[in-house]
Coordinates of all heavy atoms in Angstrom, one line a residue:
M1 N 12.4 16.1 -5.2 CA 12.6 16.0 -3.7 C 13.3 14.7 -3.4 O 12.9 13.6 -3.9 CB 11.2 16.0 -3.1 CG 11.3 16.0 -1.6 SD 9.7 15.6 -0.7 CE 9.1 14.1 -1.7
A2 N 14.3 14.8 -2.6 CA 15.1 13.6 -2.3 C 14.5 12.9 -1.1 O 14.3 13.4 0.0 CB 16.5 14.0 -2.0
I3 N 14.1 11.6 -1.2 CA 13.7 10.8 -0.1 C 14.4 9.5 -0.3 O 14.5 8.9 -1.4 CB 12.2 10.6 -0.1 CG1 11.8 9.7 1.0 CG2 11.6 10.1 -1.4 CD1 10.3 9.8 1.5
S4 N 15.0 9.0 0.8 CA 15.9 7.9 0.7 C 15.2 6.5 0.8 O 14.2 6.4 1.4 CB 17.0 8.0 1.7 OG 16.5 8.2 3.0
L5 N 15.8 5.5 0.1 CA 15.3 4.2 0.1 C 15.5 3.6 1.5 O 16.3 4.1 2.3 CB 16.0 3.3 -0.9 CG 15.9 3.8 -2.3 CD1 16.8 2.9 -3.2 CD2 14.5 3.7 -2.8
L6 N 14.7 2.6 1.9 CA 14.8 2.0 3.2 C 16.2 1.3 3.3 O 16.7 0.7 2.4 CB 13.7 0.9 3.4 CG 12.3 1.4 3.4 CD1 11.4 0.2 3.9 CD2 12.0 2.6 4.3
D7 N 16.8 1.4 4.5 CA 18.0 0.7 4.8 C 17.7 -0.7 5.3 O 16.5 -1.0 5.5 CB 18.9 1.5 5.7 CG 18.4 1.7 7.1 OD1 17.5 0.9 7.5 OD2 18.7 2.7 7.7
A8 N 18.7 -1.5 5.6 CA 18.5 -2.9 6.0 C 17.7 -3.0 7.2 O 16.8 -3.9 7.3 CB 19.9 -3.6 6.1
A9 N 18.0 -2.1 8.2 CA 17.2 -2.2 9.5 C 15.8 -1.8 9.3 O 14.9 -2.5 9.8 CB 17.8 -1.2 10.5
E10 N 15.5 -0.9 8.4 CA 14.1 -0.5 8.1 C 13.4 -1.6 7.3 O 12.2 -1.8 7.5 CB 14.1 0.9 7.3 CG 14.5 2.1 8.2 CD 14.8 3.3 7.4 OE1 15.3 3.2 6.3 OE2 14.6 4.4 7.9
L11 N 14.1 -2.3 6.5 CA 13.5 -3.4 5.8 C 13.1 -4.5 6.7 O 12.1 -5.2 6.6 CB 14.4 -3.9 4.7 CG 14.4 -3.1 3.4 CD1 15.6 -3.6 2.5 CD2 13.1 -3.3 2.7
A12 N 14.0 -4.8 7.7 CA 13.7 -5.8 8.7 C 12.5 -5.4 9.5 O 11.6 -6.3 9.8 CB 14.9 -6.0 9.6
E13 N 12.4 -4.2 9.9 CA 11.3 -3.7 10.7 C 10.0 -3.8 9.8 O 8.9 -4.2 10.4 CB 11.5 -2.2 11.1 CG 10.3 -1.4 11.6 CD 9.8 -1.9 12.9 OE1 10.4 -2.8 13.5 OE2 8.6 -1.5 13.2
L14 N 10.1 -3.5 8.6 CA 8.9 -3.6 7.6 C 8.4 -5.1 7.6 O 7.2 -5.3 7.7 CB 9.4 -3.2 6.2 CG 8.4 -3.2 5.1 CD1 8.8 -2.1 4.1 CD2 8.3 -4.5 4.4
K15 N 9.3 -6.0 7.5 CA 9.0 -7.4 7.5 C 8.2 -7.8 8.8 O 7.3 -8.6 8.8 CB 10.2 -8.3 7.4 CG 10.5 -8.7 6.0 CD 11.5 -9.9 5.9 CE 11.9 -10.1 4.5 NZ 13.3 -10.6 4.4
R16 N 8.7 -7.2 9.9 CA 8.1 -7.6 11.2 C 6.7 -6.9 11.4 O 5.8 -7.6 11.7 CB 9.1 -7.1 12.3 CG 8.8 -7.7 13.7 CD 9.7 -7.0 14.8 NE 9.4 -5.5 14.8 CZ 8.2 -5.0 15.4 NH1 7.3 -5.8 15.9 NH2 8.1 -3.7 15.4
E17 N 6.7 -5.6 11.1 CA 5.4 -4.9 11.4 C 4.4 -5.1 10.3 O 3.2 -5.2 10.6 CB 5.8 -3.4 11.5 CG 4.6 -2.6 12.1 CD 4.7 -1.2 11.7 OE1 5.8 -0.7 11.4 OE2 3.6 -0.5 11.7
L18 N 4.8 -5.1 9.0 CA 3.9 -5.2 7.9 C 4.0 -6.6 7.4 O 4.4 -6.8 6.2 CB 4.2 -4.1 6.8 CG 4.1 -2.7 7.3 CD1 4.6 -1.7 6.2 CD2 2.7 -2.3 7.7
A19 N 3.6 -7.6 8.2 CA 3.8 -9.0 7.9 C 3.0 -9.5 6.7 O 3.3 -10.5 6.1 CB 3.5 -9.8 9.1
D20 N 1.9 -8.8 6.4 CA 1.0 -9.2 5.3 C 1.5 -8.6 4.0 O 0.9 -8.9 2.9 CB -0.4 -8.7 5.6 CG -1.0 -9.4 6.8 OD1 -0.7 -10.6 7.0 OD2 -1.8 -8.7 7.5
W21 N 2.5 -7.8 4.0 CA 3.1 -7.2 2.8 C 4.3 -8.0 2.4 O 5.0 -8.5 3.2 CB 3.4 -5.8 3.0 CG 2.2 -4.9 3.2 CD1 1.6 -4.7 4.4 CD2 1.5 -4.1 2.3 NE1 0.5 -3.9 4.3 CE2 0.5 -3.4 3.0 CE3 1.7 -3.8 0.9 CZ2 -0.4 -2.5 2.3 CZ3 0.9 -2.9 0.3 CH2 -0.2 -2.3 1.0
E22 N 4.6 -8.1 1.1 CA 5.8 -8.7 0.7 C 6.6 -7.8 -0.4 O 5.9 -7.1 -1.1 CB 5.7 -10.1 0.2 CG 4.7 -10.3 -1.0 CD 4.6 -11.8 -1.3 OE1 5.4 -12.2 -2.2 OE2 3.7 -12.5 -0.8
L23 N 7.8 -8.0 -0.3 CA 8.7 -7.2 -1.3 C 8.6 -7.9 -2.6 O 8.6 -9.1 -2.7 CB 10.1 -7.3 -0.7 CG 11.1 -6.1 -0.9 CD1 10.5 -4.8 -0.5 CD2 12.4 -6.4 -0.2
T24 N 8.5 -7.1 -3.7 CA 8.5 -7.7 -5.0 C 9.9 -8.2 -5.3 O 10.9 -7.8 -4.7 CB 8.2 -6.7 -6.1 OG1 9.0 -5.5 -5.9 CG2 6.7 -6.2 -6.0
P25 N 10.1 -9.2 -6.3 CA 11.4 -9.8 -6.6 C 12.5 -8.8 -6.9 O 13.6 -9.0 -6.5 CB 11.1 -10.7 -7.8 CG 9.7 -11.0 -7.7 CD 9.0 -9.8 -7.1
D26 N 12.1 -7.7 -7.5 CA 13.2 -6.6 -7.8 C 13.5 -5.7 -6.6 O 14.3 -4.9 -6.7 CB 12.8 -5.8 -9.0 CG 11.6 -4.9 -8.8 OD1 11.0 -4.9 -7.7 OD2 11.1 -4.3 -9.8
G27 N 12.7 -5.9 -5.5 CA 13.0 -5.2 -4.3 C 12.5 -3.7 -4.3 O 12.8 -3.0 -3.4
K28 N 11.8 -3.4 -5.4 CA 11.5 -1.9 -5.6 C 10.1 -1.6 -5.1 O 9.7 -0.4 -5.3 CB 11.7 -1.6 -7.0 CG 13.1 -1.5 -7.5 CD 13.3 -1.0 -8.9 CE 14.7 -0.8 -9.2 NZ 14.9 -0.1 -10.5
A29 N 9.3 -2.5 -4.6 CA 7.9 -2.3 -4.2 C 7.5 -3.3 -3.2 O 8.1 -4.3 -3.0 CB 7.0 -2.3 -5.5
I30 N 6.4 -2.9 -2.5 CA 5.8 -3.9 -1.6 C 4.3 -4.1 -2.1 O 3.7 -3.2 -2.6 CB 5.8 -3.4 -0.1 CG1 5.2 -2.0 0.0 CG2 7.2 -3.5 0.4 CD1 5.1 -1.6 1.5
V31 N 3.9 -5.3 -1.9 CA 2.5 -5.7 -2.4 C 1.7 -6.4 -1.4 O 2.3 -7.1 -0.5 CB 2.6 -6.6 -3.7 CG1 3.2 -5.8 -4.9 CG2 3.5 -7.8 -3.4
R32 N 0.4 -6.2 -1.4 CA -0.5 -6.9 -0.6 C -1.8 -7.1 -1.3 O -2.3 -6.2 -2.0 CB -0.7 -6.2 0.8 CG -1.7 -7.0 1.6 CD -2.0 -6.4 3.0 NE -3.0 -7.2 3.6 CZ -3.6 -7.0 4.7 NH1 -3.2 -6.0 5.5 NH2 -4.6 -7.8 5.2
S33 N -2.5 -8.2 -1.1 CA -3.8 -8.4 -1.6 C -4.8 -8.4 -0.4 O -4.6 -9.0 0.6 CB -3.9 -9.8 -2.3 OG -5.1 -9.9 -3.0
F34 N -5.8 -7.5 -0.6 CA -6.9 -7.4 0.5 C -8.1 -8.0 0.0 O -8.5 -7.9 -1.2 CB -7.2 -5.9 0.7 CG -6.1 -5.1 1.4 CD1 -5.1 -4.5 0.6 CD2 -6.0 -5.0 2.8 CE1 -4.1 -3.7 1.3 CE2 -5.0 -4.3 3.4 CZ -4.1 -3.6 2.6
K35 N -8.8 -8.8 0.8 CA -10.1 -9.4 0.5 C -11.2 -8.9 1.4 O -11.0 -8.8 2.6 CB -10.0 -10.9 0.6 CG -9.7 -11.6 -0.7 CD -10.4 -12.9 -0.9 CE -10.3 -13.3 -2.4 NZ -9.9 -14.6 -2.6
F36 N -12.4 -8.6 0.8 CA -13.5 -8.1 1.5 C -14.7 -9.0 1.2 O -14.7 -10.0 0.5 CB -13.8 -6.7 1.1 CG -12.6 -5.8 1.4 CD1 -11.6 -5.6 0.4 CD2 -12.5 -5.2 2.6 CE1 -10.5 -4.8 0.7 CE2 -11.4 -4.4 2.9 CZ -10.4 -4.2 1.9
R37 N -15.8 -8.7 1.9 CA -17.0 -9.5 1.8 C -17.6 -9.5 0.4 O -18.1 -10.4 -0.2 CB -18.1 -9.0 2.8 CG -18.4 -10.0 3.9 CD -19.8 -9.7 4.6 NE -20.1 -8.3 4.6 CZ -19.8 -7.5 5.7 NH1 -19.1 -8.0 6.7 NH2 -20.2 -6.3 5.7
D38 N -17.6 -8.3 -0.2 CA -18.2 -8.1 -1.5 C -17.6 -6.8 -2.2 O -16.7 -6.2 -1.6 CB -19.7 -8.0 -1.4 CG -20.1 -6.9 -0.4 OD1 -19.4 -5.9 -0.2 OD2 -21.2 -7.0 0.1
F39 N -18.1 -6.4 -3.3 CA -17.6 -5.3 -4.1 C -17.8 -4.0 -3.3 O -16.9 -3.1 -3.3 CB -18.3 -5.2 -5.4 CG -17.9 -4.0 -6.2 CD1 -16.6 -3.9 -6.8 CD2 -18.8 -2.9 -6.4 CE1 -16.2 -2.8 -7.5 CE2 -18.4 -1.8 -7.1 CZ -17.1 -1.7 -7.7
V40 N -18.9 -3.9 -2.6 CA -19.2 -2.6 -1.9 C -18.2 -2.4 -0.8 O -17.7 -1.3 -0.6 CB -20.7 -2.6 -1.4 CG1 -20.9 -1.4 -0.4 CG2 -21.7 -2.6 -2.5
E41 N -17.9 -3.4 -0.1 CA -16.8 -3.3 1.0 C -15.5 -3.0 0.4 O -14.7 -2.2 1.0 CB -16.8 -4.6 1.8 CG -18.0 -5.0 2.6 CD -18.2 -4.0 3.8 OE1 -17.2 -3.6 4.4 OE2 -19.4 -3.7 4.0
A42 N -15.1 -3.6 -0.7 CA -13.8 -3.4 -1.3 C -13.8 -1.9 -1.8 O -12.8 -1.2 -1.6 CB -13.6 -4.3 -2.5
F43 N -14.8 -1.4 -2.4 CA -14.8 -0.1 -2.9 C -14.9 1.0 -1.8 O -14.2 2.0 -1.9 CB -16.0 0.1 -3.9 CG -15.7 1.2 -4.9 CD1 -15.0 0.9 -6.1 CD2 -16.0 2.5 -4.6 CE1 -14.7 1.9 -7.0 CE2 -15.7 3.6 -5.6 CZ -15.0 3.3 -6.7
A44 N -15.5 0.6 -0.7 CA -15.5 1.5 0.5 C -14.1 1.7 1.0 O -13.7 2.8 1.3 CB -16.5 1.0 1.5
F45 N -13.4 0.6 1.0 CA -12.0 0.6 1.5 C -11.2 1.5 0.5 O -10.4 2.4 1.0 CB -11.4 -0.8 1.4 CG -9.9 -0.9 1.5 CD1 -9.3 -0.7 2.7 CD2 -9.2 -1.3 0.4 CE1 -7.9 -0.8 2.8 CE2 -7.8 -1.4 0.4 CZ -7.2 -1.2 1.6
M46 N -11.4 1.3 -0.8 CA -10.6 2.2 -1.7 C -10.9 3.6 -1.6 O -10.1 4.5 -1.7 CB -10.9 1.7 -3.2 CG -10.4 0.3 -3.4 SD -10.9 -0.4 -5.0 CE -9.6 0.4 -6.1
T47 N -12.2 3.9 -1.2 CA -12.6 5.3 -1.0 C -11.9 5.9 0.2 O -11.4 7.0 0.2 CB -14.1 5.4 -0.9 OG1 -14.7 4.9 -2.0 CG2 -14.6 6.9 -0.7
R48 N -11.9 5.1 1.3 CA -11.2 5.6 2.5 C -9.7 5.8 2.2 O -9.1 6.8 2.6 CB -11.3 4.6 3.6 CG -12.7 4.4 4.2 CD -12.7 3.7 5.5 NE -12.3 2.3 5.5 CZ -13.1 1.3 5.1 NH1 -14.4 1.5 4.7 NH2 -12.7 0.0 5.0
V49 N -9.1 4.9 1.5 CA -7.7 5.0 1.2 C -7.4 6.2 0.2 O -6.3 6.8 0.4 CB -7.1 3.7 0.6 CG1 -5.7 3.8 0.0 CG2 -7.2 2.6 1.6
A50 N -8.3 6.4 -0.7 CA -8.1 7.6 -1.6 C -7.9 8.9 -0.8 O -7.1 9.7 -1.1 CB -9.3 7.7 -2.5
V51 N -8.7 9.0 0.3 CA -8.6 10.2 1.1 C -7.3 10.3 1.8 O -6.6 11.3 1.8 CB -9.8 10.3 2.1 CG1 -9.6 11.4 3.1 CG2 -11.1 10.4 1.4
L52 N -6.8 9.1 2.4 CA -5.6 9.0 3.1 C -4.4 9.3 2.1 O -3.4 10.0 2.4 CB -5.4 7.7 3.7 CG -6.4 7.3 4.7 CD1 -6.3 5.8 5.1 CD2 -6.3 8.1 6.0
A53 N -4.5 8.8 0.9 CA -3.4 8.9 -0.1 C -3.3 10.4 -0.5 O -2.2 10.9 -0.6 CB -3.7 8.1 -1.3
E54 N -4.4 11.1 -0.6 CA -4.3 12.5 -0.9 C -3.7 13.3 0.2 O -2.9 14.2 0.0 CB -5.7 13.1 -1.2 CG -6.2 12.8 -2.6 CD -5.3 13.6 -3.6 OE1 -5.5 14.8 -3.7 OE2 -4.5 12.9 -4.3
E55 N -4.1 12.9 1.5 CA -3.5 13.6 2.6 C -2.0 13.4 2.7 O -1.2 14.3 3.0 CB -4.1 13.0 3.9 CG -5.5 13.6 4.2 CD -6.2 12.8 5.3 OE1 -5.6 11.9 6.0 OE2 -7.4 13.2 5.6
Q56 N -1.5 12.2 2.3 CA -0.1 11.9 2.4 C 0.6 12.2 1.1 O 1.8 12.1 1.0 CB 0.1 10.3 2.6 CG -0.5 9.9 4.0 CD -0.3 8.4 4.2 OE1 0.5 7.7 3.6 NE2 -0.9 7.9 5.3
D57 N -0.1 12.7 0.1 CA 0.4 12.9 -1.3 C 1.3 11.7 -1.7 O 2.4 11.9 -2.2 CB 1.2 14.2 -1.3 CG 1.6 14.6 -2.7 OD1 0.8 14.3 -3.6 OD2 2.6 15.3 -2.9
H58 N 0.7 10.6 -1.5 CA 1.4 9.3 -1.9 C 0.3 8.3 -2.3 O -0.6 8.1 -1.6 CB 2.2 8.8 -0.7 CG 3.2 7.8 -1.2 ND1 4.3 8.1 -2.0 CD2 3.4 6.5 -0.9 CE1 5.0 7.1 -2.2 NE2 4.5 6.0 -1.6
H59 N 0.5 7.8 -3.5 CA -0.7 7.1 -4.2 C -0.4 5.7 -4.5 O 0.7 5.4 -5.0 CB -1.1 7.9 -5.4 CG -1.5 9.3 -5.1 ND1 -0.6 10.3 -5.1 CD2 -2.7 9.9 -4.7 CE1 -1.2 11.5 -4.7 NE2 -2.4 11.2 -4.5
P60 N -1.3 4.8 -4.3 CA -1.1 3.4 -4.5 C -1.3 3.0 -6.0 O -2.0 3.7 -6.7 CB -2.2 2.7 -3.7 CG -3.3 3.7 -3.7 CD -2.6 5.0 -3.6
E61 N -0.7 2.0 -6.5 CA -1.0 1.3 -7.7 C -1.9 0.1 -7.3 O -1.5 -0.7 -6.4 CB 0.2 0.8 -8.5 CG 1.2 2.0 -8.9 CD 2.4 1.5 -9.6 OE1 2.3 0.5 -10.3 OE2 3.4 2.2 -9.5
W62 N -3.1 0.0 -7.8 CA -4.0 -1.0 -7.4 C -4.9 -1.5 -8.4 O -5.1 -0.8 -9.5 CB -4.7 -0.6 -6.1 CG -5.5 0.7 -6.1 CD1 -5.7 1.5 -7.2 CD2 -6.0 1.4 -5.0 NE1 -6.4 2.6 -6.8 CE2 -6.7 2.5 -5.5 CE3 -6.1 1.1 -3.6 CZ2 -7.3 3.4 -4.6 CZ3 -6.8 2.0 -2.8 CH2 -7.4 3.1 -3.3
R63 N -5.5 -2.7 -8.2 CA -6.4 -3.3 -9.1 C -7.5 -3.9 -8.3 O -7.3 -4.6 -7.3 CB -5.7 -4.3 -9.9 CG -6.5 -5.2 -10.8 CD -5.6 -6.1 -11.7 NE -6.4 -6.7 -12.8 CZ -6.9 -7.9 -12.7 NH1 -6.8 -8.6 -11.7 NH2 -7.6 -8.3 -13.8
N64 N -8.7 -3.7 -8.7 CA -9.9 -4.2 -8.0 C -10.6 -5.2 -8.9 O -10.9 -4.9 -10.0 CB -10.8 -3.1 -7.5 CG -12.2 -3.6 -7.1 OD1 -13.2 -3.1 -7.7 ND2 -12.3 -4.5 -6.2
V65 N -10.9 -6.4 -8.4 CA -11.8 -7.3 -9.0 C -12.8 -7.8 -8.0 O -12.4 -8.5 -7.0 CB -11.0 -8.5 -9.6 CG1 -12.0 -9.5 -10.2 CG2 -10.0 -8.1 -10.6
W66 N -14.0 -7.4 -8.1 CA -15.1 -7.7 -7.2 C -14.7 -7.4 -5.7 O -14.7 -6.3 -5.3 CB -15.7 -9.1 -7.3 CG -16.9 -9.4 -6.5 CD1 -17.9 -8.5 -6.4 CD2 -17.1 -10.4 -5.5 NE1 -18.8 -9.1 -5.5 CE2 -18.3 -10.2 -4.9 CE3 -16.3 -11.6 -5.2 CZ2 -18.9 -11.1 -4.0 CZ3 -16.9 -12.4 -4.2 CH2 -18.1 -12.2 -3.6
N67 N -14.4 -8.5 -4.9 CA -14.1 -8.2 -3.5 C -12.6 -8.2 -3.1 O -12.3 -8.1 -2.0 CB -14.8 -9.4 -2.6 CG -14.1 -10.7 -2.9 OD1 -13.4 -10.9 -3.9 ND2 -14.2 -11.6 -1.9
Q68 N -11.8 -8.1 -4.2 CA -10.4 -8.1 -3.9 C -9.7 -6.9 -4.5 O -10.1 -6.3 -5.5 CB -9.8 -9.4 -4.7 CG -8.4 -9.6 -4.3 CD -7.9 -11.0 -4.8 OE1 -8.7 -12.0 -4.8 NE2 -6.7 -11.1 -5.3
V69 N -8.7 -6.4 -3.7 CA -8.0 -5.2 -4.1 C -6.5 -5.6 -4.0 O -6.0 -5.9 -2.9 CB -8.3 -4.0 -3.2 CG1 -7.5 -2.8 -3.7 CG2 -9.8 -3.7 -3.2
D70 N -5.8 -5.6 -5.1 CA -4.4 -5.9 -5.1 C -3.6 -4.6 -5.2 O -3.9 -3.8 -6.1 CB -4.0 -6.8 -6.4 CG -4.7 -8.1 -6.4 OD1 -4.9 -8.7 -5.3 OD2 -5.1 -8.6 -7.5
V71 N -2.7 -4.4 -4.2 CA -2.0 -3.1 -4.1 C -0.5 -3.3 -4.3 O 0.1 -4.3 -3.8 CB -2.3 -2.6 -2.7 CG1 -1.6 -1.2 -2.5 CG2 -3.8 -2.4 -2.4
L72 N 0.1 -2.3 -5.0 CA 1.5 -2.2 -5.1 C 1.9 -0.8 -4.6 O 1.3 0.1 -5.1 CB 2.0 -2.5 -6.5 CG 3.5 -2.5 -6.8 CD1 3.8 -3.5 -7.9 CD2 4.0 -1.1 -7.2
L73 N 2.8 -0.8 -3.7 CA 3.3 0.5 -3.2 C 4.8 0.7 -3.6 O 5.6 -0.2 -3.3 CB 3.2 0.7 -1.7 CG 1.7 0.6 -1.2 CD1 1.7 0.8 0.3 CD2 0.8 1.6 -1.8
T74 N 5.1 1.8 -4.2 CA 6.5 2.2 -4.5 C 6.6 3.7 -4.5 O 5.6 4.4 -4.7 CB 7.0 1.6 -5.9 OG1 8.4 1.8 -6.0 CG2 6.2 2.2 -7.0
T75 N 7.8 4.2 -4.3 CA 8.0 5.7 -4.4 C 8.6 6.0 -5.8 O 9.8 5.7 -6.0 CB 8.8 6.2 -3.3 OG1 8.2 5.8 -2.0 CG2 9.0 7.7 -3.3
H76 N 7.8 6.5 -6.7 CA 8.3 6.7 -8.0 C 9.5 7.7 -8.0 O 10.5 7.5 -8.7 CB 7.2 7.3 -8.9 CG 6.1 6.3 -9.1 ND1 4.8 6.5 -8.5 CD2 6.0 5.0 -9.6 CE1 4.1 5.4 -8.8 NE2 4.8 4.5 -9.4
D77 N 9.4 8.7 -7.1 CA 10.5 9.7 -7.0 C 11.8 9.1 -6.6 O 12.9 9.7 -6.9 CB 10.1 10.8 -6.0 CG 8.8 11.6 -6.4 OD1 8.5 11.5 -7.6 OD2 8.2 12.2 -5.6
A78 N 11.8 8.0 -5.9 CA 13.0 7.3 -5.5 C 13.3 6.0 -6.2 O 14.4 5.4 -5.9 CB 12.9 7.1 -3.9
D79 N 12.4 5.6 -7.0 CA 12.6 4.3 -7.7 C 12.8 3.1 -6.7 O 13.7 2.3 -6.9 CB 13.8 4.4 -8.7 CG 13.8 3.2 -9.7 OD1 12.7 2.7 -10.0 OD2 14.8 2.8 -10.1
G80 N 12.0 3.1 -5.7 CA 12.1 2.0 -4.7 C 11.2 2.3 -3.5 O 10.3 3.1 -3.5
V81 N 11.4 1.5 -2.5 CA 10.6 1.6 -1.3 C 11.2 2.6 -0.3 O 12.3 2.5 0.0 CB 10.4 0.2 -0.6 CG1 9.5 0.2 0.6 CG2 9.9 -0.8 -1.6
T82 N 10.3 3.5 0.2 CA 10.7 4.5 1.2 C 9.7 4.5 2.4 O 8.7 3.8 2.4 CB 10.7 5.9 0.6 OG1 9.4 6.3 0.3 CG2 11.5 5.9 -0.7
A83 N 10.0 5.4 3.3 CA 9.2 5.5 4.5 C 7.7 5.9 4.1 O 6.8 5.7 4.8 CB 9.8 6.6 5.4
R84 N 7.6 6.6 2.9 CA 6.3 7.0 2.5 C 5.4 5.8 2.1 O 4.2 5.8 2.4 CB 6.4 7.9 1.2 CG 7.2 9.1 1.5 CD 7.3 10.0 0.3 NE 6.0 10.7 0.1 CZ 5.7 11.4 -1.0 NH1 6.5 11.5 -2.0 NH2 4.5 12.0 -1.1
D85 N 6.0 4.7 1.6 CA 5.3 3.5 1.3 C 4.9 2.8 2.6 O 3.8 2.3 2.7 CB 6.2 2.6 0.4 CG 6.5 3.2 -0.9 OD1 5.6 3.6 -1.6 OD2 7.7 3.4 -1.1
V86 N 5.8 2.8 3.6 CA 5.6 2.2 4.9 C 4.4 2.9 5.5 O 3.5 2.2 6.1 CB 6.8 2.2 5.8 CG1 6.5 1.7 7.2 CG2 7.9 1.4 5.1
A87 N 4.4 4.2 5.5 CA 3.3 5.0 6.1 C 1.9 4.7 5.5 O 0.9 4.5 6.2 CB 3.6 6.5 6.0
L88 N 1.9 4.6 4.1 CA 0.7 4.3 3.4 C 0.2 2.9 3.7 O -1.0 2.6 3.9 CB 0.8 4.6 1.9 CG -0.5 4.5 1.1 CD1 -1.6 5.3 1.7 CD2 -0.3 4.8 -0.3
A89 N 1.2 1.9 3.7 CA 0.9 0.5 4.0 C 0.2 0.4 5.3 O -0.8 -0.3 5.5 CB 2.1 -0.3 3.9
R90 N 0.8 1.0 6.3 CA 0.3 1.0 7.7 C -1.2 1.6 7.7 O -2.1 1.0 8.3 CB 1.1 1.9 8.5 CG 1.4 1.5 9.9 CD 2.3 2.5 10.6 NE 3.7 2.0 10.7 CZ 4.7 2.8 10.6 NH1 4.6 4.1 10.4 NH2 5.9 2.3 10.7
A91 N -1.4 2.7 7.0 CA -2.7 3.3 7.0 C -3.7 2.4 6.3 O -4.9 2.3 6.6 CB -2.6 4.7 6.3
M92 N -3.3 1.7 5.2 CA -4.2 0.8 4.5 C -4.5 -0.4 5.4 O -5.7 -0.9 5.4 CB -3.5 0.3 3.2 CG -3.4 1.4 2.2 SD -2.7 0.9 0.6 CE -4.1 0.5 -0.3
D93 N -3.6 -0.9 6.1 CA -3.9 -2.1 7.1 C -5.0 -1.6 8.0 O -5.9 -2.4 8.3 CB -2.6 -2.5 7.8 CG -1.7 -3.4 6.9 OD1 -2.1 -3.7 5.8 OD2 -0.6 -3.7 7.4
T94 N -4.8 -0.4 8.6 CA -5.8 0.1 9.5 C -7.2 0.3 8.8 O -8.2 0.0 9.4 CB -5.3 1.4 10.1 OG1 -4.0 1.2 10.7 CG2 -6.3 2.0 11.1
A95 N -7.1 0.9 7.6 CA -8.4 1.1 6.9 C -9.1 -0.1 6.5 O -10.3 -0.1 6.4 CB -8.1 2.0 5.6
A96 N -8.4 -1.2 6.4 CA -9.0 -2.5 6.1 C -9.7 -3.1 7.3 O -10.5 -4.0 7.1 CB -8.0 -3.5 5.5
G97 N -9.3 -2.7 8.5 CA -9.9 -3.1 9.7 C -9.4 -4.5 10.2 O -8.8 -5.2 9.4
Ligands
LIG1 N1 2.9 8.5 -5.2 C1 3.8 7.5 -5.3 N2 3.5 6.3 -5.1 N3 5.1 7.8 -5.5 C2 5.5 9.1 -5.8 O1 6.7 9.3 -6.0 C3 4.6 10.1 -5.7 C4 3.2 9.8 -5.4 N4 4.9 11.4 -5.9 N5 2.3 10.7 -5.4 C5 4.0 12.5 -5.6 C6 2.5 12.1 -5.8 C7 4.4 13.6 -6.5 O2 4.3 13.2 -7.9 C8 3.7 14.9 -6.3 C9 4.1 16.0 -7.3 O3 4.0 15.3 -5.0

């Protein structure tokens, strides 16, 4: 399935709207680190996101250590950042509260 990478205008919009996310040095992914009160809060967040990811058929690469969840979003099908990553990033920001 062809899905196109973000263009320059969409990247600028991403920087503005998803200010807590940053582009990786190779420009192929966006990353954000979420912090919670404790492990239970972090895992509850991951559970909420798991449901959203299934709904969107788009899945995060992530790592959890106690109260922290480090997330990397990329679209494997496109080898870079697409609107699907932006949609999931937005949903994760909302899910984090
Ligand atoms: N998640 C991410 N992050 N990138 C993808 O390209 C992707 C995915 N593709 N989740 C989806 C699933 C694809 O493999 C299925 C078959 O739709």
